[in-house]
Amino acid sequence: MPVKLAVEVCADLRTAAEARLALARPYVAPRRPADELLHELQVHQIELEMQNEALAQTQIALEESRDRYLDLYELAPIGYMTLTRDDQIAAINLTGATLLGEERSKLLRRRFARFIVAEDRDFWHRHFMRAFRQDGSTTCELTLQRSDGTFFDACLDCLRSSSDDASTPQLRVAISDITARRKRNEEERRIAAIAFESQEGMMVTDPSGVIIRVNNAFTQLTGYAADEAIGRTPNILASGRQSSDFYRQMWDTLKACGYWQGRLWNRHKNGELFAEWLTISAVKSPEGQTTHYVGAFSEITRHLEAETEIHRLAYFDPLTHLPNRRLLLDRIAQAMAGSARSNASGALLFLDLDHFKALNDTRGHDVGDQLLLQAAQRIQQNVREGDTVARLGGDEFVVMLLNLSTDAHEAAAQTRLVGEKIREALSKPYALDGGDFHCTSSIGIAMFRHHEIAVDALLKNADLAMYEAKNTGRNSLRFFDPAMQTALEARSALEADLRLAVSRGQLQALYQPQLDDAERVVGAEALLRWQHPTRGLVPPVDFIPLAEATDLIRPLGRWMLEAACRQIRDWSASDATRHVIVAVNIGARQFHQNDFVDDLASIIRETGADPARLMLELTESLVIKDIENTILRMQQIKALGVALSLDDFGTGFSSLSCLKRLPLDQFKVDQAFVRDVASDGEDEAIVRAVVMMGQILGLEVIAEGVETTAQRDRLREYGCLRYQGYLFASPLAPGEFERFARAQAGG
Ligand code: C2E
Ligand code: MG
Ligand code: MG
């Protein structure tokens, strides 16, 4: 039974849809007409039931959807209403009613304009008419007044729509409360306005650079009132101090980064220039278009002036306004880098005015300054534009010549030419207050190329060459020579060692016996020796001049005096040595020290030596240097009970009249005359004259460097009765000296 079978099949299936699917399956058994009809009816009934079920479902969905819509409409966060052509409220949602502060039922058919504050009503009316004319939505902002009299700011979005009756269009309006937003905007505007009126000058321009707004500070800083500036471009402030390149770069940066800041000079309305620090920012729309430029600036003229002054003080000499040492060193470093690129040589000329100190001391610093200014001018006139003339201080100038030949010899020749020109210019008379003045200069030159040498070493070389120029007679030019450098380095190493000699106990005093006619020991010359840890025994000629040239002679001289005085004290205990007069050599610098006499007195006191046994040897050149002061000092020494001898006598040029004034006890004939006294007619005459002079002046005469008996005999013949020399003994250590003295005394 096919139908039953089908129903049974259907009963097995859980839903109508499944049944329908089952029925749709082909059934291949033969059918009769009544069966077929019944089957069709049954199928139809099932289909109807299915349709009913779908309808009920749809009904439920529809109701749900309407509820949702009502929820959405009524309780939306913004108000919705529909206005008729004559501004009557045709419909309004709950939110809208709440916003207007009225029950919905009371709002319908009321005119909306009633809720608009009086000031905004005209505006609303115009907007309302336009909204009806226009396709698409329109927006306006108004202040509304609720039924209870309170106010709120609203934004209305209006869209014209056709009602069911197409001929009567209506306006759908969305109302949102923007009171909070407006308040916030208002606040921001107020803050911006205050910020705009800051201490900084501010201007706002449109994208083409036309000023649309300025603040009070702008007016104060530029002199232009707002109405004078607005409508014009910042060009009104142009000073002409910046190049067009400067402005082009500024605009390039502004366009690329939307921001620029920097320093520039502008012109005040009154014509005065001022420096400002300017910051420009581009204001952009959300789409990225520049809508405005905002420029903020502050005046920095005073700041700049101070900066310039600081720079001037740091890099320039205040008297001549020439670059100082610091700037010079910078420039040398730059020049070396330049020379490395171009391969061209440069030269450093170290100039020192001869005897400038004397002028300064005798005629005063003002006159000295005048001379320096004129000298600076003359130097500058003799160099090229790119060359540097610097003043290091005092009377020292340095000239740096650039871009000389790539050939070293030719470069040196070029430099010599410039150097000679400068030297000549400087040697012309100077017109100074109180008369003309002549002054020469000594110039030392050091050449440079690439980075062969450090900057300060180069400067030092030029300085050394200048000293050489001075030593070789001044008013001359001298090139630095590397051999000179080696010698000087050795000298400075020696100086460093010598500084330690006293504290490390490396000094030693030897005593060379002085004998009388009967070959008895009557005196001793104290001679200094330096026992150097690596060089061995260093003779005084190798270090005394160095000590004299530096302040080292002071500790050295003091050490020697102390040693000699202690020796006198020690020898006073022995018969063989008690009477020995110890002679100590005193250098010029040591002698002229202010506290020399005080030092001497305290050494004598501290050692307990008998001053009558001490003699100081001074040289002729020392004595004639500053004769008046020297005599005074010699008298002070004599007053202590110490005797004085004139060493190396005959080598200087002292006149008899001068010698007569000196409080001396002894002449010491220089060994140069003694050497040839037995053979050379001229020296013989000198020795005779010296001895005679001594006799006339009532002084003792001693000969040093006596090496042969012939010399001794001849000296005795002329009347010289005291002798010192290798013939008798070389300089001896104290113990040896004592033995020698005893032997001579026949003990
Ligand atoms: P000076 O004062 O003329 O000393 C004499 C020098 O002649 C000494 O040389 C001595 O050793 C040397 N001499 C002695 N007998 C003979 C001789 O028969 N033949 C020759 N050819 N020479 C002889 P020394 O010790 O080398 O001293 C050299 C110079 O160094 C001294 O010349 C003196 O000017 C200086 N000197 C030495 N000690 C001191 C010192 O303590 N202080 C100072 N300021 N200068 C000193
Ligand atoms: Mg001597
Ligand atoms: Mg001598």
Side-chain angles (χ1 to χ4, degrees):
M1 218 132 114
V3 173
K4 194 172 175 242
L5 231 168
V7 173
E8 275 168 9
V9 168
C10 286
D12 272 334
L13 297 170
R14 251 174 269 155
T15 65
E18 281 171 344
R20 199 171 54 194
L21 277 170
L23 287 171
R25 274 186 217 126
Y27 178 68
V28 288
R31 287 181 187 172
R32 282 173 307 162
D35 286 347
E36 274 180 15
L37 196 64
L38 184 62
H39 177 251
E40 244 163 64
L41 274 173
Q42 280 173 330
V43 169
H44 207 68
Q45 189 187 351
I46 291 166
E47 277 175 356
L48 274 175
E49 277 167 9
M50 280 166 64
Q51 273 169 15
N52 249 350
E53 195 182 328
L55 215 60
Q57 294 283 344
T58 312
Q59 182 72 21
I60 291 167
L62 209 64
E63 274 167 18
E64 277 174 4
S65 155
R66 200 197 52 208
D67 286 352
R68 250 199 323 275
Y69 160 76
L70 271 177
D71 258 13
L72 269 176
Y73 174 73
E74 296 293 3
L75 304 171
I78 51 177
Y80 292 115
M81 66 177 174
T82 312
L83 296 180
T84 62
R85 204 64 238 226
D86 48 2
D87 191 37
Q88 281 182 16
I89 299 173
I92 187 160
N93 69 350
L94 270 178
T95 312
T98 314
L99 276 173
L100 296 179
E102 194 61 276
E103 274 173 39
R104 185 169 21 190
S105 55
K106 291 187 183 158
L107 284 170
L108 296 174
R109 316 195 82 82
R110 288 267 288 278
R111 288 179 67 111
F112 175 61
R114 195 202 151 280
F115 292 95
I116 294 170
V117 293
E119 310 88 272
D120 284 353
R121 267 187 211 150
D122 274 354
F123 170 69
W124 166 246
H125 183 68
R126 282 197 301 280
H127 188 83
F128 182 75
M129 300 307 276
R130 199 172 67 235
F132 264 103
R133 276 197 305 276
Q134 190 173 307
D135 288 330
S137 71
T138 59
T139 303
C140 70
E141 289 183 7
L142 300 165
T143 305
L144 301 184
Q145 188 170 23
R146 299 188 185 92
S147 292
D148 65 1
T150 57
F151 299 94
F152 73 100
D153 294 314
C155 173
L156 308 182
D157 283 303
C158 311
L159 181 68
R160 185 190 59 183
S161 79
S162 301
S163 69
D164 308 337
D165 177 356
S167 60
T168 51
Q170 291 186 320
L171 203 62
R172 295 194 206 282
V173 183
I175 316 167
S176 27
D177 183 351
I178 56 165
T179 313
R181 195 178 84 202
R182 264 213 179 163
K183 212 164 153 185
R184 217 168 37 240
N185 286 353
E186 199 55 47
E187 239 163 47
E188 273 167 17
R189 250 203 306 277
R190 223 178 40 245
I191 291 167
I194 290 168
F196 192 72
E197 284 307 334
S198 70
Q199 294 306 103
E200 289 204 314
M202 304 268 268
M203 62 180 154
V204 181
T205 74
D206 68 9
S208 62
V210 174
I211 300 173
I212 54 174
R213 219 177 138 186
V214 298
N215 68 353
N216 283 329
F218 175 96
T219 304
Q220 269 160 26
L221 293 169
T222 66
Y224 289 96
D227 57 348
E228 292 171 308
I230 290 170
R232 303 171 73 181
T233 68
N235 239 354
I236 51 171
L237 304 173
S239 64
R241 275 243 190 147
Q242 283 83 221
S243 64
S244 48
D245 255 10
F246 175 90
Y247 289 108
R248 205 180 33 251
Q249 273 175 16
M250 175 173 122
W251 279 108
D252 285 352
T253 312
L254 250 180
K255 279 183 186 141
C257 318
Y259 185 78
W260 179 89
Q261 67 175 0
R263 189 164 75 184
L264 71 163
W265 286 91
N266 270 342
R267 193 179 293 281
H268 191 275
K269 192 181 166 192
N270 67 12
E272 268 175 33
L273 292 185
F274 66 94
E276 64 176 43
W277 182 258
L278 173 64
T279 306
I280 309 176
S281 314
V283 181
K284 300 218 161 147
S285 67
E287 293 77 40
Q289 289 289 343
T290 299
T291 58
H292 300 90
Y293 290 106
V294 178
F297 62 93
S298 47
E299 214 209 299
I300 51 164
T301 312
R302 240 170 303 154
H303 178 76
L304 255 193
E305 278 167 359
E307 219 173 67
T308 315
E309 179 64 9
I310 288 166
H311 181 266
R312 205 177 57 73
L313 287 176
Y315 290 103
F316 291 88
D317 165 46
L319 174 68
T320 59
H321 303 302
L322 291 175
N324 63 10
R325 173 185 289 270
R326 203 159 146 197
L327 185 53
L328 174 71
L329 292 178
D330 270 10
R331 295 224 177 135
I332 297 174
Q334 270 176 29
M336 282 182 164
S339 139
R341 285 191 295 273
S342 68
N343 213 25
S345 294
L348 227 55
L349 287 80
F350 202 112
L351 278 97
D352 187 282
L353 302 179
D354 301 328
H355 305 300
F356 172 76
K357 197 177 171 307
L359 170 85
N360 225 12
D361 290 349
T362 54
R363 309 229 333 233
H365 289 262
D366 286 350
V367 177
D369 286 355
Q370 283 178 29
L371 178 80
L372 290 173
L373 282 167
Q374 291 185 27
Q377 221 168 30
R378 292 182 194 184
I379 299 168
Q380 278 176 300
Q381 281 160 357
N382 283 287
V383 299
R384 289 186 300 192
E385 188 131 329
D387 299 333
T388 295
V389 179
R391 179 177 172 229
L392 300 193
D395 57 343
E396 289 178 346
F397 294 89
V398 171
V399 176
M400 181 174 67
L401 305 181
L402 296 179
N403 298 322
L404 301 169
S405 169
T406 50
D407 175 81
H409 290 284
E410 207 178 308
Q414 290 170 325
T415 307
R416 178 182 294 280
L417 219 67
V418 179
E420 284 297 347
K421 256 173 39 189
I422 294 174
R423 192 190 55 76
E424 219 176 283
L426 290 175
S427 67
K428 299 220 167 80
Y430 294 81
L432 304 176
D433 279 354
D436 276 6
F437 182 78
H438 285 267
C439 177
T440 55
S441 60
S442 299
I443 304 177
I445 300 172
M447 307 294 298
F448 65 89
R449 204 138 67 111
H450 309 172
H451 293 285
E452 282 156 359
I453 182 170
V455 172
D456 44 354
L458 178 72
L459 193 63
K460 204 165 159 205
N461 288 352
D463 186 8
L464 292 173
M466 187 277 290
Y467 267 99
E468 272 300 300
K470 266 212 191 312
N471 284 338
T472 50
R474 301 171 198 263
N475 195 19
S476 62
L477 212 98
R478 204 43 211 262
F479 276 81
F480 173 79
D481 150 27
M484 192 159 95
Q485 170 74 10
T486 319
L488 284 155
E489 271 165 13
R491 188 181 145 103
S492 49
L494 193 71
E495 187 185 325
D497 289 348
L498 191 55
R499 276 189 193 281
L500 300 172
V502 177
S503 61
R504 300 207 170 154
Q506 293 166 358
L507 295 179
Q508 202 182 332
L510 296 187
Y511 297 89
Q512 186 171 33
Q514 296 175 337
L515 297 93
D516 67 4
D517 190 32
E519 298 205 349
R520 275 181 312 235
V521 174
V522 289
E525 181 176 9
L527 293 161
L528 190 58
R529 294 290 179 268
W530 176 15
Q531 189 65 51
H532 189 279
T534 54
R535 289 166 203 252
L537 204 62
V538 185
V541 283
D542 287 352
F543 69 90
I544 291 285
L546 174 64
E548 272 275 325
T550 62
D551 57 349
L552 282 170
I553 195 64
R554 219 185 144 101
L556 249 58
R558 202 187 152 84
W559 183 90
M560 191 54 166
L561 272 172
E562 269 173 7
C565 286
R566 267 199 307 272
Q567 201 59 71
I568 291 171
R569 187 198 56 205
D570 293 351
W571 280 343
S572 68
S574 154
D575 284 343
T577 50
R578 184 173 296 137
H579 61 284
V580 170
I581 303 232
V582 177
V584 177
N585 294 284
I586 304 296
R589 188 154 168 168
Q590 189 186 359
F591 179 81
H592 288 293
Q593 251 149 28
N594 283 338
D595 42 9
F596 175 70
V597 180
D598 291 343
D599 268 5
L600 177 65
S602 68
I603 290 168
I604 292 170
R605 204 174 42 246
E606 281 159 23
T607 54
D610 176 5
R613 298 279 160 253
L614 183 64
M615 181 183 274
L616 302 187
E617 289 189 14
L618 312 177
T619 58
E620 235 183 307
S621 55
L622 173 156
V623 167
I624 56 171
K625 202 170 171 191
D626 176 8
I627 187 91
E628 299 307 327
N629 268 322
T630 305
I631 292 173
L632 206 73
R633 187 152 291 194
M634 286 169 83
Q635 282 163 348
Q636 290 168 342
I637 295 167
K638 292 279 294 177
L640 294 175
V642 176
L644 291 170
S645 170
L646 195 60
D647 199 1
D648 304 341
F649 186 59
T651 56
F653 306 94
S654 22
S655 62
L656 190 59
S657 62
C658 163
L659 291 171
K660 222 173 73 186
R661 298 177 57 203
L662 300 173
L664 286 166
D665 300 280
Q666 189 187 65
F667 277 167
K668 201 166 187 185
V669 183
D670 190 68
Q671 44 181 282
F673 306 113
V674 174
R675 197 175 304 132
D676 297 321
V677 74
S679 54
D680 187 301
E682 208 174 289
D683 284 349
E684 190 189 307
I686 291 173
V687 173
R688 273 176 119 160
V690 168
V691 175
M692 210 144 47
M693 228 148 66
Q695 284 166 350
I696 295 168
L697 296 172
L699 307 180
E700 185 182 84
V701 177
I702 184 170
E704 66 177 329
V706 183
E707 292 178 354
T708 63
T709 46
Q711 289 166 342
R712 197 264 323 267
D713 293 346
R714 191 56 61 84
L715 286 161
R716 184 188 284 151
E717 198 181 300
Y718 297 149
C720 175
L721 304 177
R722 295 252 189 281
Y723 319 98
Q724 176 187 341
Y726 296 160
L727 175 63
F728 312 101
S730 47
L732 304 172
E736 293 172 324
F737 183 91
E738 286 153 28
R739 275 194 293 283
F740 180 80
R742 264 197 296 277
Q744 291 304 108

